[in-house]
Amino acid sequence: IAQSIGIPSLPADVSAALAPDVEYRLREIMQEAIKCMRHAKRTVLTADDVDSALSLRNVEPVYGFASGDPLRFKRAVGHKDLFYIDDREVDFKEIIEAPLPKAPLDTAVVAHWLAIEGVQPAIPENPPIDAIAAPTENKRTEHAKDDGLPVDIKLPVKHILSRELQMYFDKIAELTMSRSSTPVFREALVSLSKDSGLHPLVPYFSYFIADEVTRSLADLPVLFALMRVVQSLLRNPHIHIEPYHITSKRATLVYCQLHQLMPSMITCIVAKRLGHRLSDNHWELRDFSANLVASVCRRYGHVYHNLQIRLTKTLVHAFLDPHKALTQHYGAVQGISALGPSAIRLLLLPNLQTYMQLLDPE
């Protein structure tokens, strides 16, 4: 400060007299800055905390012009190890004549076609096919940034159906929807339960069954046929119901066949109404679906540990809900009974007295 006002050398006694006061003022400002930092729930002191401390002490604020340029340090005259930041004076005219920064873009929504009839348009918004195509290797080993441990990344596998498999799927779907009472459909069920080359069709059958069950709740023969298709697929020893990837022209999907089939089977157990006529034998469909779900739990319970837990929660909820229809209560009782004596003992018997009170008005 003395050098800036024209005093080239400050006497030693003046420096000794000023030093304690400077130290006191600095310590006072820094204590206020630390309080500001703690009130801001931070552990790192910043320049803003010092500015806040100066304003709290009614000290004249530090004026200046913020710049993104790197800081320039200069050596203090006469001191080998003392440096300070060189704050150059900026002319107002220079600031006024500087070009304005670009305005930020407004938030907007832009629509474009991902695909049209299965073909991706070549537009800038869509990535090129080469960028999303899976490489020849199904796995890649990369090194994590933090610990350097190798990580296996499973990339999507392109799924291509042969012409024969497509025709087979279309024929099974046609028989299921319109000719489920014919001997040809029974032969198709035998084929589904024994043939060894049907594994690529499993995700397509899963989606087909889930979609048609939702649409055909009023068509009892179709629901029965769909459940028989599920039974045949589960009986096939060459089919593994497990998660895997499918990449098509439209999208990349991860399928878990079992978790996609279970809601369809549970719907056929506890749906309020199955079929469109009162004379429809929906009781038989509920019994068949309950036994089917129980067989799934016995076969895959060790792989999916929460499978039976989620199933029993759904069935118990349908069983004890007084607002559900009696057909739903029947399906829930059949579903729990199919799981075996332990499920009956743990889930049905403790709630039997409560349920009998619900049946009194009937």
Side-chain angles (χ1 to χ4, degrees):
I1 293 173
Q3 289 173 1
S4 66
I5 60 176
I7 302 175
S9 59
L10 202 64
D13 55 344
V14 176
S15 301
L18 286 176
D21 186 66
V22 171
E23 181 180 358
Y24 171 75
R25 300 296 177 185
L26 282 175
R27 191 182 299 275
E28 189 179 38
I29 292 297
M30 293 313 296
Q31 287 175 349
E32 291 292 336
I34 290 172
K35 290 179 184 178
C36 296
M37 174 195 74
R38 288 175 179 165
H39 281 292
K41 308 296 183 184
R42 284 186 282 103
T43 56
V44 177
L45 195 68
T46 65
D48 291 335
D49 298 325
V50 179
D51 288 340
S52 301
L54 291 173
S55 63
L56 286 173
R57 289 291 175 179
N58 295 321
V59 180
E60 186 178 359
V62 179
Y63 296 101
F65 177 69
S67 172
D69 298 335
L71 299 176
R72 297 183 181 89
F73 288 90
K74 280 193 174 182
R75 191 189 302 272
V77 179
H79 299 276
K80 185 171 65 173
D81 299 328
L82 182 62
F83 296 86
Y84 66 95
I85 297 174
D86 181 24
D87 290 332
R88 72 182 186 90
E89 293 183 358
V90 182
D91 191 1
F92 276 116
K93 184 179 179 182
E94 180 183 341
I95 299 175
I96 293 171
E97 293 177 353
L100 293 173
K102 291 183 178 180
L105 296 176
D106 291 334
T107 304
V109 177
V110 180
H112 70 276
W113 289 100
L114 287 175
I116 301 173
E117 295 296 331
V119 179
Q120 178 178 291
I123 56 177
E125 288 82 1
N126 286 335
I129 298 297
D130 298 337
I132 60 174
T136 54
E137 299 176 354
N138 290 343
K139 286 188 179 180
R140 250 185 219 167
T141 301
E142 294 187 358
H143 292 283
K145 294 180 180 179
D146 298 333
D147 50 10
L149 296 176
V151 178
D152 284 341
I153 299 177
K154 293 184 179 180
L155 295 168
V157 179
K158 201 166 186 178
H159 204 190
I160 300 175
L161 286 181
S162 65
R163 178 77 175 168
E164 293 77 11
L165 284 176
Q166 293 180 31
M167 292 175 63
Y168 182 90
F169 174 78
D170 293 338
K171 189 66 177 177
I172 295 292
E174 178 195 348
L175 292 171
T176 304
M177 297 303 296
S178 59
R179 298 164 60 188
S180 58
S181 60
T182 61
V184 181
F185 179 67
R186 289 193 287 273
E187 292 295 328
L189 293 178
V190 174
S191 172
L192 283 173
S193 64
K194 291 184 178 180
D195 287 355
S196 59
L198 304 181
H199 193 67
L201 288 177
V202 174
Y204 298 94
F205 276 123
S206 300
Y207 180 80
F208 166 72
I209 292 164
D211 191 36
E212 292 302 332
V213 165
T214 306
R215 291 191 204 175
S216 307
L217 288 177
D219 195 336
L220 195 64
V222 170
L223 293 176
F224 234 123
L226 291 169
M227 290 300 102
R228 287 199 167 100
V229 170
V230 174
Q231 183 188 50
S232 298
L233 289 173
L234 294 173
R235 284 179 174 176
N236 194 322
H238 307 286
I239 290 178
H240 305 288
I241 308 295
E242 58 187 9
Y244 55 91
H245 295 74
I246 292 179
T247 300
S248 66
K249 287 183 179 179
R250 295 179 184 271
T252 300
L253 302 173
V254 180
Y255 282 91
C256 181
Q257 312 311 329
L258 195 57
H259 287 199
Q260 194 172 15
L261 289 172
M262 284 297 288
S264 303
M265 292 185 276
I266 294 173
T267 299
C268 291
I269 299 174
V270 295
K272 183 176 182 179
R273 184 164 185 176
L274 300 172
H276 65 281
R277 294 191 303 268
L278 293 176
S279 59
D280 286 340
N281 188 9
H282 61 90
W283 314 104
E284 187 179 355
L285 175 61
R286 295 179 196 272
D287 297 346
F288 181 86
S289 303
N291 292 325
L292 190 58
V293 167
S295 67
V296 169
C297 290
R298 285 192 295 271
R299 182 174 174 184
Y300 298 103
H302 66 286
V303 180
Y304 302 96
H305 299 291
N306 62 343
L307 181 65
Q308 186 163 333
I309 296 173
R310 293 170 61 184
L311 172 64
T312 52
K313 281 183 180 179
T314 303
L315 295 176
V316 170
H317 176 71
F319 173 54
L320 295 179
D321 189 350
H323 301 292
K324 300 285 186 184
L326 289 179
T327 52
Q328 295 172 283
H329 293 170
Y330 173 84
V333 171
Q334 284 296 99
I336 296 172
S337 302
L339 294 175
S342 59
I344 296 173
R345 185 173 63 252
L346 294 174
L347 303 175
L348 284 183
L349 296 184
N351 299 306
L352 200 55
Q353 186 174 1
T354 305
Y355 186 70
M356 293 306 293
Q357 294 174 359
L358 182 64
L359 284 182
D360 281 343
E362 301 293 336

